[in-house]
């Protein structure tokens, strides 16, 4: 459906489906079939171990135009239906004169960033399934009030690799995918063919659903309740390709969840089964325009999370270099 065919934010039409439904038993079988526990040392870097120095060199060599495209949303301090936990930003110094000069201006920022409004990275300790983190570590032993002793964001460090944009609205000729619309394995394969790109080992794969454009044109909605994103049946394709990172302009999961009793099944599969860190809430509109103009959908991708010992993730400002 094109962007002109609806005029209110919220759930899409009846044709925008998050299904088919997946039973808990089917999901558990899928989890077992894709998990990579015991594969890497160090385990708490998970799939980032795939990004070797040779892959970095090849990714850097892909740069053609030198165009740098940022992908972070603005720091969001305003409450809204898609921002239930606004970030903080206030000034702590307003030109107080030092002795001697100059005067100084300082500020403070903070965020409970695991929501729908801050561009952030999810580390492997962010999600447990059936009480277990990635690699079979027991969550209650690995994470406590002081932070995580396994799978923390401080174990990851910066990632420099090949990025691939799966621009589904561009493929379909629409402004955005409707909230609640699932992206299936077949859509991933069709996007590769249409965009002339193939997802490979060590890649950072970014899904554009058009969430940011829809929000700009129609207004914000509660994307935690209903949003476009991956169906669990797309995960085996991405797992077979050996990706290192998965990101989206939403939080990667289609919502409502199609899996009975599992509210974020793609999070569970990526983080807890595959050891693939996630990027949530990217702004992919500028990258969509830049890749369409360039005629290619692969690029050098760079993201550097904050070095927070024990942290479950980090606000980030990733960039693509075409």
């Amino acid at each position: 459906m094109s962007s002109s065919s609806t005029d209110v934010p919220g759930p899409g039409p009846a044709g925008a489906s998050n299904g088919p439904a997946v039973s808990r038993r089917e999901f558990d079988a899928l989890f077992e079939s894709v998990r990579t526990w015991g594969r890497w040392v160090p385990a708490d870097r998970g799939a980032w171990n795939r990004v070797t120095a040779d892959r970095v060199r090849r990714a850097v060599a892909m740069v053609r135009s030198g165009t740098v495209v940022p992908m972070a949303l603005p720091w969001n301090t305003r409450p809204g239906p898609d921002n239930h936990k606004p970030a903080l930003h206030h000034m702590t110094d307003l030109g107080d004169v030092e002795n001697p000069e100059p005067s100084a201006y300082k500020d403070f920022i903070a965020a409970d960033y695991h929501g729908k409004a801050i561009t952030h990275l999810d580390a492997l300790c962010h999600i447990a399934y059936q009480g277990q983190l990635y690699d079979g570590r027991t969550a209650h032993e690995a994470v406590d009030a002081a932070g995580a002793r396994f799978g923390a964001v401080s174990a990851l460090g910066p990632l420099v690799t090949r990025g691939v944009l799966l621009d589904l609205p561009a493929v379909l000729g629409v402004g955005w995918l409707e909230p609640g619309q699932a992206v299936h394995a077949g859509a991933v394969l069709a996007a590769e063919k249409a965009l002339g790109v193939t997802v490979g080992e060590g890649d950072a794969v970014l899904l554009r659903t058009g969430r940011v454009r829809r929000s700009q044109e129609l207004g914000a909605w509660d994307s935690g309740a209903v949003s476009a994103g991956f169906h669990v049946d797309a995960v085996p394709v991405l797992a077979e390709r050996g990706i290192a990172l998965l990101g989206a302009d939403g939080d990667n999961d289609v919502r409502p969840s199609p899996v009975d009793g599992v509210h974020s099944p793609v999070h569970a599969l990526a983080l807890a089964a595959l050891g693939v860190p996630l990027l949530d809430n990217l702004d992919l509109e500028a990258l969509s325009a830049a890749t369409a103009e360039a005629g290619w959908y692969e690029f050098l991708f760079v993201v550097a999370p904050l070095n927070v010992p024990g942290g479950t993730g980090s606000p980030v400002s990733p960039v693509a270099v075409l």
Side-chain angles (χ1 to χ4, degrees):
M1 177 170 286
S2 70
S3 59
S4 61
S5 61
T6 182
D7 57 7
V8 293
S17 171
N18 68 328
V22 176
S23 70
R24 188 66 172 269
R25 185 172 70 174
E26 290 170 324
F27 179 77
D28 287 347
L30 175 58
F31 188 99
E32 290 298 316
S33 72
V34 300
R35 71 174 186 169
T36 59
W37 295 1
R39 178 170 299 184
W40 291 299
V41 176
D44 52 2
R45 283 178 56 81
W48 280 24
N49 284 291
R50 289 189 169 113
V51 183
T52 62
D54 184 58
R55 292 195 190 283
V56 173
R57 286 193 295 269
R58 280 186 279 166
V60 171
M62 290 171 46
V63 174
R64 308 183 205 182
S65 69
T67 301
V68 178
V69 185
M71 290 179 275
L73 292 170
W75 195 251
N76 194 338
T77 61
R78 302 182 64 179
D82 59 346
N83 190 13
H84 298 171
K85 300 178 290 184
L88 303 178
H89 179 214
H90 64 258
M91 301 302 293
T92 57
D93 258 324
L94 287 172
D96 296 335
V97 177
E98 304 284 351
N99 187 19
E101 288 273 14
S103 56
Y105 301 83
K106 304 174 186 176
D107 58 353
F108 168 89
I109 60 172
D112 187 352
Y113 55 86
H114 284 300
K116 312 304 175 186
I118 300 291
T119 302
H120 67 270
L121 179 92
D122 291 339
L124 301 190
C125 63
H126 175 50
I127 292 290
Y129 183 64
Q130 295 184 334
Q132 291 181 301
L133 300 172
Y134 179 68
D135 214 43
R137 307 301 175 101
T138 303
H140 79 268
E141 294 176 351
V143 185
D144 58 24
R149 292 178 295 279
F150 173 83
V153 71
S154 51
L156 293 174
L159 180 70
V160 180
T161 192
R162 175 181 182 250
V164 172
L165 178 65
L166 299 179
D167 194 339
L168 265 293
V171 170
L172 298 173
V174 298
W176 51 73
L177 304 187
E178 287 294 345
Q181 184 170 340
V183 175
H184 296 281
V188 172
L189 300 176
E192 287 183 315
K193 184 176 181 180
L195 301 173
V197 67
T198 301
V199 173
E201 187 170 359
D203 284 352
V205 177
L206 310 180
L207 170 68
R208 176 175 175 260
T209 69
R211 173 198 168 195
V212 173
R213 178 177 171 184
R214 188 182 196 275
S215 201
Q216 290 169 342
E217 294 192 17
L218 300 184
W221 73 97
D222 185 359
S223 56
V226 58
S227 60
F230 286 111
H231 190 276
V232 295
D233 69 14
V235 173
V237 171
L238 300 170
E240 289 167 8
R241 303 295 179 83
I243 66 172
L245 176 71
L246 186 62
D249 55 5
D251 72 354
N252 289 282
D253 272 279
V254 66
R255 298 189 184 280
S257 168
V259 182
D260 181 38
V262 183
H263 69 82
S264 298
V266 172
H267 274 62
L269 292 171
L271 292 165
L274 288 164
V276 172
L278 296 175
L279 279 175
D280 292 342
N281 310 321
L282 296 166
D283 183 347
L284 297 176
E285 295 308 299
L287 184 59
S288 174
T291 50
E293 181 178 0
W296 63 84
Y297 289 80
E298 59 179 356
F299 40 84
L300 173 66
F301 174 86
V302 182
V303 62
L306 298 175
N307 186 2
V308 181
T312 62
S314 169
V316 290
S317 184
V319 297
V321 187
L322 276 67

